[in-house]
């Protein structure tokens, strides 16, 4: 078993622990009414996008999400929340250094002994979700689980659905597809982008992601026999039929959306295996980008 497989299979336990410990970390996380920006790089930027949509949708306050390198430094915030598994990513550390003494910052990380421990004002530690692999799985979903629980949005069904996502076979014919499109709505748009990233990183697959309604405005033209379109969350009316009319395989996201992301992680590993690739050694990638 690869590191990626081992780590992605541990997610139910990681999620349960993060949800149980959300109260412990509440003083370090954004408070209701604060104007917040959530930042990260790569996978963490997509989790930031999902978390920001959840927080603002819950009426907790205006919340933006940015790749750390694209943060608008002229814009005022009450708090900046940085997601960083390694705690060593250059863009995150540079941003936290810039904000020191200007804007309160909190970092969610797997390793507080890294430079982020000194760079952020407050540090939330998810060391039980740390990973050996380059390709992120459990840290990203555990961080988002913590933030969902902090917002009161972690459903009782999430952990059981995650176990289902790990146990049930993938849809027949899915691994053999040559192109994958992931769709989301609201907070699940970030999950769709993360699912597509997993396919590119682990399996070198052609994968795209869009807001579900935007998919109709051009991207649906790439869908045909031998491609797959996977909806994470509830689909807009009529979309399944439209995808079926293209000849593409339609995958309906019936589980909690975060559990659907786990299914997509499994797909990435399965496609990598089918193509003779090692998902623990993704091409041109390192565990942390240090410039």
């Amino acid at each position: 078993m690869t590191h990626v497989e081992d780590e992605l299979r541990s997610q139910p336990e990681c999620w349960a622990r993060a949800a149980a410990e959300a109260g412990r970390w509440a003083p370090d996380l954004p408070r209701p009414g604060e104007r917040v920006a959530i930042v990260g790089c790569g996978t963490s930027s997509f989790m930031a996008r999902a978390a920001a949509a959840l927080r603002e949708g819950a009426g907790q306050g205006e919340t933006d999400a940015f790749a750390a390198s694209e943060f608008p430094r002229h814009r005022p915030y009450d708090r900046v929340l940085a997601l960083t598994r390694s705690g060593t990513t250059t863009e995150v550390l540079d941003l936290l250094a810039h904000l020191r003494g200007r804007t309160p910052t909190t970092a969610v990380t797997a390793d507080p002994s890294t430079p982020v421990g000194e760079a952020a004002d407050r540090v939330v530690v998810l060391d039980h979700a740390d990973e050996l692999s380059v390709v992120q799985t459990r840290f990203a979903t555990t961080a988002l689980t913590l933030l969902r629980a902090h917002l009161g949005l972690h459903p009782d069904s999430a952990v059981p659905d995650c176990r289902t996502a790990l146990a049930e076979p993938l849809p027949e014919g899915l691994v053999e597809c040559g192109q994958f499109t992931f769709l989301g709505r609201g907070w699940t748009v970030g999950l769709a982008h993360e699912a597509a990233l997993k396919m590119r990183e682990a399996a070198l697959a052609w994968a795209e992601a869009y807001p579900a309604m935007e998919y109709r405005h051009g991207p649906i033209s790439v869908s045909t026999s031998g491609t797959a379109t996977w909806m994470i969350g509830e689909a807009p009316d009529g979309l399944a039929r439209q995808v079926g009319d293209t000849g593409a395989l339609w995958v309906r996201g019936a589980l909690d959306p975060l559990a659907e992301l786990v299914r997509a992680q499994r797909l990435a590993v399965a496609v990598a295996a089918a193509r003779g690739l090692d998902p623990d050694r993704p091409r041109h990638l390192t565990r942390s980008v240090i410039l």
Side-chain angles (χ1 to χ4, degrees):
M1 185 177 291
T2 64
H3 292 314
V4 174
E5 289 175 284
D6 183 55
E7 289 159 358
L8 73 85
R9 290 185 179 279
S10 70
Q11 288 175 105
E13 293 73 27
C14 289
W15 294 8
R17 179 170 171 179
E21 295 181 350
R24 168 190 173 190
W25 297 114
D28 303 305
L29 293 170
R31 298 170 177 82
E34 286 186 327
R35 186 169 189 252
V36 173
I38 310 178
V39 301
C41 298
T43 288
S44 291
S45 74
F46 297 137
M47 296 301 101
R49 183 170 178 175
L54 281 170
R55 184 176 186 270
E56 187 157 322
Q60 292 279 310
E62 185 175 337
T63 314
D64 297 321
F66 302 100
S69 59
E70 298 300 316
F71 180 81
R73 298 189 177 194
H74 64 280
R75 194 178 292 181
Y77 288 97
D78 298 316
R79 179 169 303 278
V80 171
L81 178 64
L83 308 181
T84 170
R85 175 182 65 171
S86 70
T88 60
T89 303
T90 295
E91 300 100 299
V92 172
L93 295 177
D94 284 351
L95 177 59
L96 291 174
H98 171 78
L99 295 173
R100 171 71 77 175
R102 304 181 185 190
T103 303
T105 59
T106 295
V108 179
T109 186
D111 188 354
S113 68
T114 57
V116 77
E118 296 295 328
D121 298 322
R122 296 172 179 262
V123 179
V124 173
V125 181
L126 299 177
D127 50 359
H128 66 282
D130 202 357
E131 297 165 320
L132 294 173
S133 59
V134 173
V135 176
Q136 278 200 59
T137 55
R138 71 182 181 192
F139 176 78
T141 61
T142 301
L144 186 54
T145 294
L146 174 73
L147 297 176
R148 288 178 84 185
H150 174 64
L151 294 169
L153 298 175
H154 173 69
D156 292 339
S157 61
V159 171
D161 276 5
C162 185
R163 292 195 174 100
T164 298
L166 292 167
E168 288 188 346
L170 293 168
E172 185 176 351
L174 185 58
V175 172
E176 292 74 28
C177 288
Q179 186 269 341
F180 304 86
T181 300
F182 295 90
L183 306 177
R185 301 175 84 181
W187 73 282
T188 71
V189 173
L191 303 188
H193 279 285
E194 171 57 11
L197 178 62
K198 291 286 90 68
M199 298 299 298
R200 294 190 290 267
E201 288 178 329
L204 305 183
W206 176 16
E208 302 176 337
Y210 304 97
M213 294 299 290
E214 285 299 303
Y215 171 68
R216 290 172 158 128
H217 294 271
I220 195 172
S221 64
V222 305
S223 297
T224 187
S225 177
T227 74
T229 300
W230 189 325
M231 182 70 214
I232 299 181
E234 185 177 353
D237 291 343
L239 186 58
R241 176 187 53 77
Q242 288 179 296
V243 171
D245 289 345
T246 71
L249 175 64
W250 170 258
V251 181
R252 182 177 71 92
L255 302 173
D256 178 83
L258 202 53
E260 285 295 321
L261 176 57
V262 173
R263 281 215 300 163
Q265 293 170 348
R266 286 184 57 214
L267 174 63
V269 171
V271 173
R275 297 181 178 186
L277 301 172
D278 182 353
D280 281 343
R281 293 176 173 81
R283 190 170 66 184
H284 311 315
L285 298 179
T286 56
R287 187 173 180 275
S288 174
V289 176
I290 301 174
L291 305 177

